[in-house]
Amino acid sequence: MPVNVQLNDANFSLGPEEGFFYSVSSDLNSLIQVEADGTVVDSFPIALSQLRNPVKELHYDGTFFWTLEDLPSDLGLVIKKWRLFPFKTLAFPSAIPFEFRWQDELTLIHGPNIRWEADAFAVEHYHRFFDGSFLAGVSIVRLNSVEHLNIGDDIYLGPSDFGGFIGNEETKRVTFVNTATLQVTLGSPIQNSYISNDPVDYSKSLFIFNQHSFTGIEDNRGTLAQFSYPGKFQQKVDTGGKYHDVSAADYDGSTLAWVRGSQIIQLNVFNPTFDLQSSLEANLVQDDMFTFIEVFDLIADLDSNVFLKLQDRETTESVGTGSFTTTVFTPPPQYNFQTQVTTPVVNSIALDMDTRFAKPFPSADKIIVATVVRDQFGLPVLGQSVQFGAALSDSSPPGTPGTLSPVIAITNTSGIAVSTYTPSSSPVNLLVDITGTVL
């Protein structure tokens, strides 16, 4: 059983220090920094705000943390923006963060025919890098990409790795973007010097998965609402069953990902029709093969082809018996993350046979047998070797089971491998088990 971060609160994220995880602790009223084995290495008390309810989700956009909470007295929701404070600047190069300081918030109050109830949200954010070195005093810099960057956006530069400015950060407003040269004109000269690959971050909007549609009635449809940031006006609303019962979400690149039931669903938010990009089975069913395992928070790291799912239990399969066992992490409440890869892997195998005959005719009557192989996205797997076999069932009379040809076949572009079964010329009816095994 993979026990790792061993958190007592159902939220987590990455953060400014690579190799660590972060979580908001209700008991400590702090942001805690933990190693992958659950060892707490630092904590940052909450400042300039307070927790009204436990944090449902925590996200990090490269500079700021964001949290989702229920408002007290069933008033609605609040998304808060936080920063580790103080941080290094040219004026305070020796600053060491000691608190988790509130910066801003988006408050959503129930209204006529609108009820705000959500367990999941995501921050549209982008990680860029300096393309080359730039000395303090210049107001035009070049980035590795200016996609989704617009005039008026605030961008966050650093921490710097330039000697004499190590760790320093600053904020600048964009006044011009040259999409051809990838040069960005800033409203004022930069105060620190930066080297190539120093980070640049900016956020554009917030996505909230509202449990309700805006009809004012329970219709099993949810709403995905997008709010601009920092403007906080509603940009887009989409309603449908795919946004109902969403338990966790995250944003990476141009992909919004969320957990619904046993699946992780992905959407390219720049698709004008908001059609789903893909969905994958995410090992989120308990051993009764019916009850879902809840994911409380999600980290999408699509560059590494992996999702990290924060859960309070997991289901494992016994290799020897094929039986499933669900184990609750102890002592409860305890939350650990499980990984889910996005690179295609074989997830399901189905055997299909020509069913025109309820009972095979004599041996001259051959039967087409097909094995259908699909990945965790439900897509066909090409080029997979499948071994076919025929054996008498335990309850069959003695006899010869017949033959399959070819014994090994390769799946085609539809994920199908085909073989032909030739029954034996037995004087009695036989019960034959035919199998297709992925090698």
Side-chain angles (χ1 to χ4, degrees):
M1 181 175 66
V3 172
N4 37 61
V5 287
Q6 303 178 66
L7 299 174
N8 297 123
D9 293 84
N11 66 83
F12 84 141
S13 76
L14 301 178
E17 288 198 53
E18 189 174 350
F20 294 92
F21 295 91
Y22 295 77
S23 179
V24 177
S25 169
S26 296
D27 289 342
L28 299 177
N29 200 40
S30 301
L31 178 78
I32 60 172
Q33 178 182 354
V34 301
E35 295 180 338
D37 64 358
T39 301
V40 178
V41 297
D42 211 340
S43 63
F44 306 90
I46 288 173
L48 301 187
S49 185
Q50 59 182 326
L51 299 180
R52 304 296 183 88
N53 279 297
V55 169
K56 291 185 166 185
E57 271 204 311
L58 174 69
H59 294 306
Y60 180 67
D61 68 5
T63 303
F64 299 97
F65 290 91
W66 301 77
T67 59
L68 172 66
E69 298 173 48
D70 288 328
L71 288 172
S73 304
D74 193 29
L75 292 175
L77 301 170
V78 60
I79 295 175
K80 296 179 182 177
K81 176 182 176 183
W82 311 78
R83 190 170 190 178
L84 293 182
F85 190 87
F87 51 92
K88 291 185 177 182
T89 63
L90 182 66
F92 300 98
S94 300
I96 298 175
F98 60 81
E99 66 183 20
F100 189 50
R101 178 173 287 194
W102 175 91
Q103 304 287 302
D104 195 10
E105 64 186 50
L106 170 65
T107 303
L108 301 171
I109 304 293
H110 303 321
N113 294 332
I114 299 177
R115 181 171 179 80
W116 293 100
E117 180 183 353
D119 293 320
F121 81 110
V123 183
E124 181 196 354
H125 63 282
Y126 300 98
H127 303 296
R128 307 296 186 226
F129 303 95
F130 282 99
D131 183 12
S133 295
F134 297 90
L135 300 178
V138 304
S139 57
I140 298 178
V141 298
R142 187 173 59 253
L143 307 182
N144 68 319
S145 171
V146 294
E147 190 175 18
H148 312 309
L149 184 62
N150 302 107
I151 294 173
D153 286 346
D154 288 331
I155 60 176
Y156 298 89
L157 315 180
S160 171
D161 272 335
F162 197 105
F165 301 89
I166 299 296
N168 288 2
E169 304 177 44
E170 59 186 299
T171 305
K172 293 296 176 185
R173 180 150 295 178
V174 174
T175 59
F176 184 75
V177 178
N178 189 322
T179 57
T181 64
L182 306 185
Q183 289 181 312
V184 178
T185 303
L186 307 174
S188 60
I190 58 175
Q191 296 180 311
N192 305 291
S193 296
Y194 299 92
I195 65 172
S196 188
N197 292 322
D198 277 350
V200 177
D201 297 291
Y202 51 97
S203 298
K204 302 285 290 186
S205 69
L206 301 170
F207 290 95
I208 297 96
F209 290 84
N210 190 12
Q211 180 73 355
H212 307 280
S213 67
F214 291 159
T215 61
I217 61 174
E218 289 287 348
D219 55 9
N220 292 319
R221 296 191 305 159
T223 300
L224 177 63
Q226 182 183 13
F227 290 85
S228 68
Y229 191 84
K232 301 181 186 177
F233 61 86
Q234 191 167 285
Q235 286 181 298
K236 184 176 291 188
V237 172
D238 192 33
T239 299
K242 57 182 175 285
Y243 308 127
H244 186 70
D245 288 338
V246 174
S247 65
D250 198 14
Y251 187 93
D252 191 22
S254 60
T255 298
L256 179 63
W258 66 91
V259 179
R260 182 178 186 272
S262 63
Q263 293 185 316
I264 298 177
I265 300 172
Q266 298 181 66
L267 168 72
N268 184 333
V269 298
F270 297 101
N271 181 333
T273 63
F274 256 39
D275 290 333
L276 296 182
Q277 179 178 327
S278 65
S279 64
L280 63 88
E281 291 294 329
N283 188 28
L284 293 173
V285 180
Q286 298 195 41
D287 52 17
D288 61 5
M289 298 293 102
F290 175 77
T291 307
F292 294 135
I293 294 175
E294 183 174 359
V295 174
F296 295 90
D297 211 337
L298 182 71
I299 296 175
D301 185 0
L302 299 184
D303 286 339
S304 301
N305 299 308
V306 69
F307 289 104
L308 305 182
K309 308 168 297 174
L310 192 68
Q311 305 169 200
D312 66 352
R313 66 197 65 198
E314 67 159 351
T315 298
T316 55
E317 181 181 1
S318 171
V319 177
T321 65
S323 61
F324 293 91
T325 303
T326 299
T327 305
V328 177
F329 300 128
T330 56
Q334 183 183 132
Y335 304 92
N336 294 283
F337 69 83
Q338 316 297 303
T339 59
Q340 181 68 49
V341 297
T342 62
T343 49
V345 295
V346 173
N347 188 62
S348 68
I349 306 166
L351 203 63
D352 189 24
M353 299 180 64
D354 186 340
T355 57
R356 289 177 296 169
F357 309 120
K359 186 185 298 182
F361 287 164
S363 59
D365 298 304
K366 300 179 179 181
I367 301 175
I368 301 300
V369 180
T371 297
V372 183
V373 181
R374 296 189 178 276
D375 63 20
Q376 71 271 41
F377 298 97
L379 300 175
V381 178
L382 170 67
Q384 192 73 49
S385 297
V386 176
Q387 179 172 307
F388 291 89
L392 291 180
S393 173
D394 292 341
S395 57
S396 174
T400 303
T403 60
L404 282 151
S405 180
V407 175
I408 296 178
I410 308 298
T411 56
N412 58 21
T413 55
S414 298
I416 298 174
V418 177
S419 184
T420 301
Y421 174 67
T422 303
S424 65
S425 52
S426 173
V428 297
N429 293 331
L430 302 178
L431 298 177
V432 179
D433 293 332
I434 296 177
T435 58
T437 306
V438 172
L439 298 178

